Amino acid sequence: MDETPIKAGRKAKGKMKEAWFWPLYGDHDEISFTFSPSRAKAHIDKVLGEHFEGVLLTDGNASYARYVEKKPGITHAECWAHTRRHFEKARESDPAADEALLHIAGIYAMETWIREKGREGPDKRQARTDYSEPRVKAFWQWCDHQINRGDMEPGHPLRKAVEYALKRQRSLDVFLSDPDVPIDTNHLERGLRCIPMGKKTGCSAGAMSAPSMSVSCRAC
């Protein structure tokens, strides 16, 4: 699940209100674009409800974590691509951020290799255990070392990136034990390309002028 802002409804002369699409990526590569006038957690509660069970893969928006807290039937997985972006932002302030990016690149390299080898199901899980897990553990060890540096004061960009990752360690590790869980939400973000209003796209969702219901389309 993800969320992305759109302009919907008139706010004032020459200005439009900000609203939100909350797309859901399903088991059959379909995307349902649910709509809400706000980014409040209430929309997650409404759409997923009380009976959803399984794995919920999201970005780092805290609203998802709060939803999952009281749902024992849900495993919360989070996106490595979003984690990587925080280290990219820290590069200018601390060259050590490049080390984090190399660690994460190694994790992604294993995902590419597993995909190219056509591993699925138990074979994919075993490959992640054998090849991806050691790289993930090395990354967490690196994070632990960085957070204990004497010069990592509160507010330091690299410290923020490390804290972001460590806070989500359990969720970021979910993909290692479940072969059906992607390493990131990039497949859903690719499906969001049809969101901008008024642009010509191959997806009918992009042509909505007054979104008031969910719209499903095949993933781009």
Side-chain angles (χ1 to χ4, degrees), residues 86-98 142 146-165:
H86 285 268
F87 288 101
E88 288 179 332
K89 292 178 182 178
R91 293 181 72 183
E92 292 185 7
S93 61
D94 196 320
D98 286 333
W142 180 88
Q146 296 301 315
I147 206 70
N148 290 310
R149 279 171 39 186
D151 61 336
M152 290 283 276
E153 299 178 354
H156 191 294
L158 182 57
R159 184 183 184 90
K160 289 182 178 181
V162 172
E163 288 177 340
Y164 177 95

Side-chain angles (χ1 to χ4, degrees), residues 78-92:
E78 293 195 56
C79 172
W80 276 89
H82 282 81
T83 301
R84 184 183 188 280
R85 291 170 195 171
H86 285 268
F87 288 101
E88 288 179 332
K89 292 178 182 178
R91 293 181 72 183
E92 292 185 7

Side-chain angles (χ1 to χ4, degrees), residues 83-154:
T83 301
R84 184 183 188 280
R85 291 170 195 171
H86 285 268
F87 288 101
E88 288 179 332
K89 292 178 182 178
R91 293 181 72 183
E92 292 185 7
S93 61
D94 196 320
D98 286 333
E99 298 174 16
L101 295 174
L102 285 174
H103 279 290
I104 296 173
I107 298 168
Y108 269 88
M110 287 301 98
E111 283 296 293
T112 299
W113 180 83
I114 291 170
R115 182 174 62 252
E116 290 175 348
K117 292 294 182 180
R119 302 288 181 89
E120 297 292 341
D123 288 341
K124 183 176 182 179
R125 181 174 57 210
Q126 189 61 52
R128 281 176 166 175
T129 298
D130 293 340
Y131 306 113
S132 301
E133 187 171 349
R135 288 167 171 77
V136 171
K137 287 183 176 179
F139 172 73
W140 295 128
Q141 290 171 356
W142 180 88
C143 286
D144 288 337
H145 174 73
Q146 296 301 315
I147 206 70
N148 290 310
R149 279 171 39 186
D151 61 336
M152 290 283 276
E153 299 178 354

Side-chain angles (χ1 to χ4, degrees), residues 131-219:
Y131 306 113
S132 301
E133 187 171 349
R135 288 167 171 77
V136 171
K137 287 183 176 179
F139 172 73
W140 295 128
Q141 290 171 356
W142 180 88
C143 286
D144 288 337
H145 174 73
Q146 296 301 315
I147 206 70
N148 290 310
R149 279 171 39 186
D151 61 336
M152 290 283 276
E153 299 178 354
H156 191 294
L158 182 57
R159 184 183 184 90
K160 289 182 178 181
V162 172
E163 288 177 340
Y164 177 95
L166 288 173
K167 184 178 180 180
R168 294 162 173 79
Q169 182 172 352
R170 180 180 297 180
S171 297
L172 289 168
D173 283 351
V174 169
F175 84 102
L176 293 172
S177 58
D178 190 332
D180 293 328
V181 176
I183 193 173
D184 55 36
T185 59
N186 287 352
H187 56 297
L188 177 53
E189 291 197 1
R190 285 191 292 272
L192 299 184
R193 293 171 183 168
C194 60
I195 284 292
M197 299 300 184
K199 293 184 178 181
K200 295 181 180 180
T201 73
C203 172
S204 60
M208 292 178 65
S209 58
S212 59
M213 64 184 71
S214 64
V215 178
S216 296
C217 74
R218 187 62 56 178

